[in-house]
Amino acid sequence: MLDHAARADLDFVLAWRRRWADTLYPALNEQVAEAGPPPADRKAAAPIASAQPVYPWFAWSERASQKALWRAVSDATADTPAIVLPAAPQGALTLNPDLALPDWYTDWDIHVQPGGVWRADASAHVYELGAKLVMMGGNDDYAFHTSFVTTCCNGLDAPTRLVDLGCGFGKSTWPLKRAYPDAEVIGVDLAAPCLRLAHSKTEGLGLAVQYRQADATTDTGIEASSVDLVTSTMLIHELPRPALEGYFAEMVRILKPGGRVAVLDFQYTGDPVRDHAVTEHGVRNNEPFMPGMMSADTCAMAEAAGLVNARWVAFDERGAGRLDSKAWPVRREWHFPWAVLEAEKPA
Ligand SMILES: C[S@@+](CC[C@H](N)C(=O)[O-])C[C@H]1O[C@@H](n2cnc3c(N)ncnc32)[C@H](O)[C@@H]1O
């Protein structure tokens, strides 16, 4: 239970982020529109956007509200009891204390979260609460992740094994197990604190999931050609190019022939101002590989690794979930340009 001061801090940060999204971002768009002919693309939008009167507020607020978010969340979770692992779990937790975390993972405080998600047990609690504010309260019940599974991971015929790469504290893994209760579901992550929290929470939900600490871009330790579906949500924009290539290679290795891939992440929308804002978001939010991932031909990379029919489709988190094309509904406010990379391993 949060005390009054913690609640007030969190409410303030949430309100700030909402005003950034629904007031400052539209104001920036309006000022760019009034400044002259529409920019041709995100690179042309950059100097025009940064010359507008509202831009300093827009840019500063994005970074400052993210820093305030972690401070408020750290204060609010400071007294959270240590994670208690269940005595008689249904699933399993396999940690690897000898696993060398890659430099590209530890060199940055991802999302500006002090210490990232891997340094201490407390960081998993901080991330859990912080993720709710990052989604501006729109994913408190994890309906976003449920929509991803119900609209992007449906229709599998009696799968035996499903793998969620970069599972965090498990919110992307639970809906997979609920959708396919008879399948073995494995969540993989680099961060031991997240996996410990995932294991504890998953058991509390009465779900049997196998969690393992491994690098999804090199070797998950999962048996070759054994997996019906590999998913990731919000992982691949955190990977530098060589790691992204390794990720697709590992995915192909573990998939059964005919197995499927559903990767939820971000794509450019074709709206110059929005695409420019997303590029700067990667910089301001300590997500240094995000612009590179969105500029790369990830479908070609997936196919070079051995997948076929690689395509991105748009994802509308407000309910519809997967859309049939790479066209997002027009929205005035800021939103993340969610998209899903789908592909198959040849049968
Ligand atoms: C933004 S979080 C997303 C977590 C979860 N999928 C969700 O949707 O809530 C990204 C996660 O990917 C993990 N991660 C990053 N690089 C990884 C890698 N090479 N192998 C496994 N996990 C990785 C991070 O530790 C983090 O938990």
Side-chain angles (χ1 to χ4, degrees):
M1 184 71 173
L2 297 175
D3 65 23
H4 190 69
R7 186 69 257 172
D9 283 353
L10 295 173
D11 283 349
F12 174 77
V13 173
L14 188 55
W16 185 0
R17 294 178 67 83
R18 285 182 172 152
R19 294 302 80 78
W20 176 81
D22 66 20
T23 305
L24 287 181
Y25 177 73
L28 179 65
N29 262 296
E30 281 157 23
Q31 291 180 3
V32 169
E34 285 162 10
D41 56 26
R42 68 184 166 85
K43 289 185 178 155
I48 303 172
S50 57
Q52 301 314 309
V54 77
Y55 179 82
W57 292 106
F58 172 79
W60 173 81
S61 260
E62 184 173 26
R63 174 97 176 167
S65 68
Q66 186 76 359
K67 287 183 148 188
L69 180 158
W70 294 120
R71 181 169 302 211
V73 167
S74 299
D75 288 350
T77 55
D79 297 329
T80 306
I83 299 167
V84 177
L85 297 183
Q90 302 180 59
L93 172 65
T94 310
L95 297 180
N96 178 0
D98 297 329
L99 182 69
L101 300 179
D103 289 347
W104 55 260
Y105 183 74
T106 55
D107 279 354
W108 299 88
D109 281 349
I110 191 81
H111 306 140
V112 200
Q113 179 178 344
V117 295
W118 54 273
R119 215 180 281 270
D121 253 11
S123 56
H125 290 300
V126 170
Y127 172 56
E128 181 190 12
L129 183 55
K132 294 190 173 188
L133 272 74
V134 167
M135 301 286 277
M136 298 191 216
N139 194 33
D140 285 5
D141 54 0
Y142 305 132
F144 175 104
H145 290 80
T146 302
S147 170
F148 167 68
V149 168
T150 52
T151 67
C152 303
C153 307
N154 49 357
L156 292 179
D157 186 14
T160 56
R161 183 177 281 165
L162 315 173
V163 172
D164 180 24
L165 298 176
C167 63
F169 61 86
K171 71 180 185 290
S172 50
T173 323
W174 306 324
L176 278 177
K177 185 65 186 175
R178 290 193 179 113
Y180 297 102
D182 296 332
E184 179 188 27
V185 174
I186 303 174
V188 175
D189 207 283
L190 280 173
C194 287
L195 290 166
R196 285 163 56 79
L197 184 60
H199 180 59
S200 157
K201 290 181 77 77
T202 305
E203 295 294 321
L205 293 168
L207 300 170
V209 170
Q210 317 298 315
Y211 288 106
R212 65 171 69 190
Q213 187 181 13
D215 189 340
T217 70
T218 55
D219 183 9
T220 57
I222 295 169
E223 191 186 335
S225 305
S226 70
V227 178
D228 298 272
L229 170 74
V230 179
T231 64
S232 285
T233 59
M234 314 178 192
L235 165 65
I236 68 168
H237 68 279
E238 296 185 5
L239 304 179
R241 173 92 191 211
L244 193 49
E245 288 169 352
Y247 164 88
F248 284 122
E250 178 62 2
M251 194 177 251
V252 171
R253 186 188 72 76
I254 63 176
L255 276 172
K256 291 177 185 173
R260 278 170 50 186
V261 165
V263 174
L264 182 106
D265 221 279
F266 309 114
Q267 284 289 279
Y268 286 129
T269 62
D271 170 337
V273 176
R274 190 176 295 281
D275 290 348
H276 167 60
V278 177
T279 304
E280 289 204 328
H281 169 85
V283 177
R284 284 198 274 271
N285 211 39
N286 284 10
E287 301 183 79
F289 310 117
M290 186 172 169
M293 188 284 288
M294 290 193 297
S295 311
D297 188 345
T298 33
C299 289
M301 287 169 74
E303 294 190 350
L307 297 169
V308 292
N309 299 325
R311 70 267 171 196
W312 283 97
V313 293
F315 184 86
D316 185 354
E317 79 280 13
R318 292 169 301 174
R322 180 189 187 282
L323 303 176
D324 280 330
S325 69
K326 203 179 164 188
W328 288 258
V330 175
R331 291 167 70 176
R332 184 175 173 273
E333 83 283 10
W334 161 266
H335 68 89
F336 283 112
W338 299 110
V340 179
L341 173 60
E342 303 175 329
E344 295 88 40
K345 181 169 169 175

